[in-house]
Amino acid sequence: QVQVVESGGGLVQAGGSLRLSCVASGGTFSLYDMGWFRQAPGKEREFVGAITRSGGSIYYADSVKGRFTISRDNAKNTVYLQMNSLKPEDTAVYYCAATVGIATVASPYYSWGQGTQVTVSS
């Protein structure tokens, strides 16, 4: 019912910042909890953070807490992932996904974007 498309990835120096966007269409965006995940080569898909449909609750992985910030603008059908103080280990393909019922694991999410590459150089 809902499709999501990520954008904003790129190449950045360690210590720099990027803001990823995830734009949804085809559904009522405000009904969905949204998650951000990432997957580095040779590794499993990893939870980054998630935000409830109204933005009232936000969850972060310990690895990004204090550096990354999730927000959403339901009027624009968009979820953001602001990434600061980037480290080389943040290099991955970043995905956003939609679900009804927020979770910190990937399996409950059923609408996934194609991903956007983030590369952090040392």
Side-chain angles (χ1 to χ4, degrees):
Q1 293 184 9
V2 62
Q3 298 82 46
V4 296
V5 178
E6 305 94 338
S7 63
L11 175 65
V12 65
Q13 291 272 333
S17 298
L18 283 173
R19 188 179 75 161
L20 306 184
S21 298
C22 173
V23 180
S25 62
T28 303
F29 182 66
S30 61
L31 297 179
Y32 294 94
D33 302 319
M34 301 295 297
W36 284 99
F37 295 80
R38 65 188 183 186
Q39 189 165 22
K43 293 187 176 181
E44 295 183 346
R45 191 162 296 188
E46 176 188 18
F47 172 75
V48 175
I51 186 168
T52 53
R53 58 181 180 152
S54 65
S57 297
I58 305 174
Y59 305 88
Y60 297 101
D62 288 343
S63 59
V64 306
K65 195 173 298 182
R67 300 189 297 122
F68 291 11
T69 303
I70 298 172
S71 61
R72 68 189 295 163
D73 186 342
N74 286 351
K76 297 181 178 179
N77 291 348
T78 302
V79 173
Y80 303 97
L81 180 65
Q82 178 67 47
M83 304 185 294
N84 299 326
S85 301
L86 283 162
K87 305 174 181 178
E89 52 262 46
D90 295 318
T91 296
V93 177
Y94 283 71
Y95 300 89
C96 69
T99 189
V100 178
I102 196 165
T104 58
V105 295
S107 56
Y109 294 85
Y110 51 82
S111 295
W112 292 83
Q114 83 289 349
T116 185
Q117 176 71 47
V118 172
T119 302
V120 184
S121 62
S122 60

